[in-house]
Amino acid sequence: MRLALLLSTALLVLLPLLWLVSTSLKGPGEDIFQTPPRLLPQAPSLAAYKRLLQDTLILRYLLNSTVVSGVAVTANLLFCSLAAFPLARLRFPGRGLVLALVVATILIPFQVVMIPLYLVMVQLGLRNTYMALILPNAATAFGIFLLRQSFLGVPRELEEAAQMDGCTVVGRWWNVLLPAARADLITLAVFVFIGTWSDFLWPLVILDDPRLYTLPLGLQQLSSSFSLDWRLVAAGAVVSILPVLALFTMVQRFILPSGAASGVKGLMMSLGTMG
């Protein structure tokens, strides 16, 4: 009974994706709005994907999203881990206040800071650049808190042993804490990648050069230009989804739910006990 329920739920979740793939594979002469609807295409065709490659800038959009998301993930892993290390391992006045302020920024909607952020980017001359897309995603409060909780779970004896061997503070961060927090680092990387990859609002605001469009913005232009050919739109959506599925498939065995769960679960407790 439980297995049947799980399979039914999985099928329900996968149905929109299957429908999207089916629509992209339907031939030009096939009615995609027929009643009753047909899930499997009668004459499968790759014509929509061929047109997508030949008549649009989909490869350019794919490259832009890959560059922006890849750099954003790397920056988050570096900066969030550097910020989380002193919050977890070093004692200094106001440490609890700093952590509380960092976590409080999670409650601020992006729409509140979007206009000031846009003005800053314009004043810095970064409008219509990769850097304008990367900098707002270079570090996140969620990443700092997640890694801080992860570092708290590492036994101090490991650090003390590394210190006795002559390891510096940076060496302890690099050689002890980062390897121990591998699962949470991978979890953070997946969250940042998906969030940056699917971001639509900020690229829409900061970009007006089609050569710099990311996939979500490029697909929006695609649906506007080819609003009558939903096969082409579906093909573009499939192309945008495949990298995310591939990434999750590759790293899912490294993701441990305990790390993220303990981080979120201990939020209020840690704010109350930090000195």
Side-chain angles (χ1 to χ4, degrees):
M1 181 63 181
R2 181 179 300 178
L3 179 60
L5 180 61
L6 291 176
L7 290 176
S8 301
T9 305
L11 182 60
L12 184 63
V13 172
L14 289 175
L15 185 59
L17 180 59
L18 296 176
W19 189 270
L20 187 68
V21 175
S22 174
T23 301
S24 69
L25 292 176
K26 290 182 178 179
E30 191 170 351
D31 184 11
I32 61 176
F33 299 109
Q34 65 180 0
T35 303
R38 183 187 298 271
L39 178 61
L40 298 178
Q42 293 177 324
S45 172
L46 295 176
Y49 291 94
K50 184 178 180 179
R51 286 189 56 201
L52 187 69
L53 295 175
Q54 293 179 348
D55 301 339
T56 71
L57 297 175
I58 188 66
L59 294 180
R60 181 71 186 185
Y61 303 151
L62 188 62
L63 174 63
N64 293 338
S65 289
T66 302
V67 171
V68 172
S69 300
V71 176
V73 167
T74 304
N76 264 269
L77 296 181
L78 176 62
F79 296 140
C80 290
S81 62
L82 285 173
F85 174 66
L87 292 175
R89 291 309 204 191
L90 304 182
R91 291 196 173 275
F92 54 88
R95 183 176 65 165
L97 177 62
V98 172
L99 177 61
L101 292 176
V102 169
V103 174
T105 60
I106 300 177
L107 304 177
I108 303 176
F110 176 73
Q111 290 79 1
V112 174
V113 300
M114 182 174 61
I115 294 178
L117 185 60
Y118 174 82
L119 295 177
V120 170
M121 292 300 169
V122 171
Q123 292 174 357
L124 293 175
L126 296 178
R127 189 168 180 269
N128 281 319
T129 63
Y130 281 144
M131 194 60 65
L133 298 174
I134 294 170
L135 282 180
N137 299 304
T140 59
F142 170 77
I144 294 173
F145 177 76
L146 177 67
L147 295 183
R148 183 253 180 189
Q149 293 300 107
S150 181
F151 291 164
L152 284 178
V154 179
R156 287 190 175 271
E157 289 76 11
L158 294 178
E159 277 191 88
E160 294 172 357
Q163 188 174 5
M164 293 179 61
D165 290 338
C167 207
T168 63
V169 174
V170 176
R172 298 200 302 270
W173 164 75
W174 180 261
N175 295 305
V176 178
L177 294 180
L178 288 186
R182 183 182 66 170
D184 292 294
L185 288 170
I186 295 175
T187 301
L188 176 61
V190 171
F191 272 93
V192 173
F193 182 86
I194 294 176
T196 308
W197 186 271
S198 60
D199 187 17
F200 174 79
L201 181 58
W202 179 240
L204 178 65
V205 171
I206 202 66
L207 298 177
D208 57 26
D209 185 354
R211 295 174 300 175
L212 294 175
Y213 284 176
T214 55
L215 268 173
L217 193 56
L219 291 179
Q220 189 271 337
Q221 299 295 320
L222 187 67
S223 61
S224 298
S225 301
F226 302 93
S227 58
L228 295 179
D229 193 349
W230 291 105
R231 299 171 184 82
L232 196 64
V233 177
V238 171
V239 170
S240 69
I241 292 172
L242 287 179
V244 178
L245 293 178
L247 174 67
F248 185 78
T249 301
M250 289 188 296
V251 303
Q252 64 173 339
R253 65 190 182 95
F254 298 107
I255 299 177
L256 300 179
S258 58
S262 63
V264 177
K265 182 179 179 180
L267 175 56
M268 300 309 297
M269 181 182 299
S270 63
L271 292 180
T273 59
M274 281 288 294

